[in-house]
Structure formats: structure tokens, C-alpha cells
Amino acid sequence: MKHLFVSIVSKGAKSNTYKFALAKFLLDYSKTQNLKEEDYEISFYEIATKFLEYYWFQECKYKFKQDFNKDKMPVVIRIIQEHCGTEYIADSYEKYFKNRQELQETLIREIEKKCFDNVIPRFQPDEQNEFYQHFYSRAKDGKAYKSSSEKKIILKYEALKFFKKENETLSKILVLEWAKFLEKTNFTPRLISKIELMKDPKRNSLTKFRKILMEMEEECFYCGTKLENTDVHIDHFIPWSYIYEDELWNLVQSCSKCNLIKSDSLPPKDCIEKIVIRNEQRALSKWNSDITDYYENCYKAGFQIVNIENLQCNRA
Ligand SMILES: [Zn+2]
């Protein structure tokens, strides 16, 4: 089974990342199940629910490019773009869909209907069905699969046991192969960490930076409001979702209003000069040449630039 899993994720045609997503689904699913000695029936709906999550993060949060074949955008991305737009979304996954449950249902139903006719039967090309049984059959030409009326797979007990036991190792292999595929079309920091997570992150507390930043300056970096100690927010200049780390050279102190407006977007371009000067004054200047590059690449990736009211950066 290990050999089969590795050969599925590392070999064969790669025009999109569905097989990685399906492998991730199987690993994630197995992790949550209690072992009982029987096969597990899994509906396409359940798989589609996780596909939405995986691809929503890649499309709306990380802004990965998925069109490895330039003229062939994966259907799941088309579905997400059609309903959620093509702009970066600052909200968390949970918050975004909390008030859009109907939209979430529509998306899952479309993914369920349109995305699995290739990946599910082709995930096990030798047709031994070692991992699961599916209900597709070959069309007359022997190549294509006829779509199946049974929208489910039956995951074998032995396979579930294997996915559970080897979960950590298999996940590492999967993330590596997925990253190898995406790095061909994506220039983004921390690609591997992003693929590894693909859900709302637990962010580290930034309070340890508060004292240092307030010693540097006592005003909001963006609007210049004098900050009271109780109302100091720590903001990632280059959005956290892009840069994926907490480093002092990228952190600024801000008022709650600016922090809320900016959220996980880019600040106006005028602010680059100000943070560069700040870093020069604070012995953080060795990262300054990177900031401009990060800013440009983050913008090119599709992150929005927000308007900050009473911006002071242009008067730095
Ligand atoms: Zn402010």
C-alpha cells in the first residue's frame, strides 16, 4: 500500500492537483475515524466539502496559481472564482462562510457534481481497488470513465488502518509532491508550510513584540494616533497570509481602527519608505531590500492594497 500511495502521488500525469487533494482527504478522513473492522462508506458530498476547504485556501488566501496548463484552469478553481470572486479574501474560512451557508452549499454541490469523474477512478489506475471501491466503469474506448450514479466510494478497512498508522509519513510525502508541483507556477514564501496547513491557522501571540515596538514609537504606524498601552495592535506590514512568519522587521504598532481596516491586506505603497526608514534606525535594515520585493510579489499574487484613512506614511 505504501508503494502504491507513493507511486500515485509522485508519478503519472499532472495537469492539476486533484489527486493530491484526494490523497489529503483520505489521510484527513482516516485520522478522524475510529477503527472498526468494516469498510467505510464516504459520499462525494463529504469529499467535496473538504475539497472546497483545500482549494478555497489556495485560491482565496494564498493566491496560488493553479493553471499549470495555461488554457486549462481546474474546474474547482473556476467554481470558486465564479462564486467568491478572484480577489484575495481577508476573512478566515470559518468567518467567510458563517454568514454564507447557502453559498457554501452551492459550492459543495457543484464540486460534488463536476470534479470527481476523473480523479476518483484514476487514483488507482491498476483497478485493484486496494484503497477503495468506486462505481465508475470504463467507456467503450477503454480510456474514459462513464460518470457514476453512485456518488460515493467504499474505503477499505485495511486501507483506513494503513492511512491511520502511516498518517504522518504519508502526509509528509504528499506535501512534498504537492509543493514540487506548485512551485513550478508559484513564487511565494513558505510554500510548503502553506500546503501543510490549508486551514484557518492558529496564530502565535504577538504580545512579546508589543513592548519592543512601543519603545520604538508610541504612535500608530499608519495614522499617527498616539497609542495608549491598552489599545496597541501589532500589524504585519506584508500580510501574514503571504509571508507566513512573525518577524520584527515586518511588524508595526497600530491603532485598532487601522489594524481592522488593513487586516490581512497590503498597506498603501507610500508606507514602504516609512518602514524602510524605521528598520534602518533600529538595526533591522538587512531585510529592507526584501521588503520591496515581498511587497511587489504579494501584490502580483493578488493581494489587495487597502485605503487607510488619515494615512501619515506619505508624510513620513
Ligand atoms: Zn491608526
Side-chain angles (χ1 to χ4, degrees), residues 13-258:
K14 284 174 192 156
S15 54
N16 62 49
T17 60
Y18 285 1
K19 68 174 178 181
F20 301 129
L22 182 58
K24 180 170 170 59
F25 170 83
L26 294 169
L27 291 172
D28 287 354
Y29 174 87
S30 302
K31 229 165 134 179
T32 62
Q33 297 299 307
N34 293 321
L35 209 54
K36 48 184 193 314
E37 238 172 290
E38 54 190 58
D39 295 342
Y40 293 71
E41 191 175 306
I42 306 171
S43 66
F44 282 12
Y45 184 86
E46 204 171 336
I47 305 174
T49 305
K50 293 305 273 186
F51 262 57
L52 172 61
E53 195 178 332
Y54 304 154
Y55 284 98
W56 188 90
F57 275 97
Q58 294 180 67
E59 172 58 25
C60 305
K61 273 278 165 205
Y62 307 150
K63 301 302 300 173
F64 288 168
K65 289 186 183 68
Q66 304 271 355
D67 43 348
F68 184 59
N69 289 343
K70 286 279 176 233
D71 51 342
K72 244 180 132 183
M73 175 81 78
V75 178
V76 64
I77 299 297
R78 249 192 7 237
I79 294 170
I80 292 172
Q81 286 186 350
E82 215 176 282
H83 295 280
C84 307
T86 53
E87 306 243 293
Y88 166 78
I89 293 171
D91 276 344
S92 69
Y93 181 83
E94 202 185 320
K95 195 174 164 200
Y96 182 78
F97 284 114
K98 205 175 167 188
N99 302 316
R100 295 179 177 88
Q101 282 170 3
E102 248 173 70
L103 171 68
Q104 190 174 23
E105 181 70 16
T106 308
L107 283 158
I108 294 169
R109 289 291 177 202
E110 277 194 44
I111 294 168
E112 178 194 27
K113 210 161 92 191
K114 296 176 183 164
C115 298
F116 299 143
D117 282 359
N118 258 308
V119 69
I120 285 182
R122 288 184 199 279
F123 193 79
Q124 304 183 298
D126 58 357
E127 294 184 327
Q128 286 177 344
N129 298 337
E130 280 199 73
F131 295 143
Y132 55 74
Q133 185 199 345
H134 62 74
F135 299 90
Y136 288 92
S137 56
R138 294 267 192 188
K140 277 193 187 119
D141 65 5
K143 285 179 194 150
Y145 284 92
K146 287 188 279 190
S147 68
S148 148
S149 53
E150 295 270 1
K151 303 282 183 206
K152 65 180 180 189
I153 59 171
I154 312 280
L155 183 64
K156 302 265 172 78
Y157 160 72
E158 286 298 334
L160 186 112
K161 202 167 108 183
F162 161 72
F163 287 140
K164 257 184 116 65
K165 189 166 163 251
E166 304 288 341
N167 211 286
E168 208 182 328
T169 314
L170 299 178
S171 297
K172 299 265 181 219
I173 295 167
L174 174 63
V175 166
L176 175 71
E177 293 299 329
W178 204 332
K180 267 160 76 179
F181 180 83
L182 284 177
E183 73 174 3
K184 293 178 198 163
T185 45
N186 287 278
F187 185 68
T188 178
R190 306 283 173 125
L191 176 67
I192 289 176
S193 303
K194 288 171 184 171
I195 296 169
E196 218 164 19
L197 190 65
M198 244 183 257
K199 59 180 179 193
D200 288 331
K202 279 199 194 89
R203 303 260 287 255
N204 296 325
S205 160
L206 299 173
T207 40
K208 64 178 173 192
F209 295 106
R210 187 180 294 167
K211 196 165 167 259
I212 311 171
L213 286 168
M214 284 301 281
E215 274 165 13
M216 294 180 184
E217 263 174 72
E218 291 179 336
E219 290 93 37
C220 170
F221 179 84
Y222 300 110
C223 72
T225 303
K226 179 117 172 64
L227 295 170
E228 299 300 327
N229 242 332
T230 47
D231 192 32
V232 183
H233 292 250
I234 307 299
D235 185 72
H236 290 79
F237 185 83
I238 308 288
W240 186 86
S241 289
Y242 182 74
I243 205 142
Y244 239 59
E245 59 184 10
D246 307 319
E247 295 291 345
L248 194 54
W249 58 265
N250 188 45
L251 296 174
V252 297
Q253 73 290 352
S254 95
C255 67
S256 57
K257 201 173 153 199
C258 289

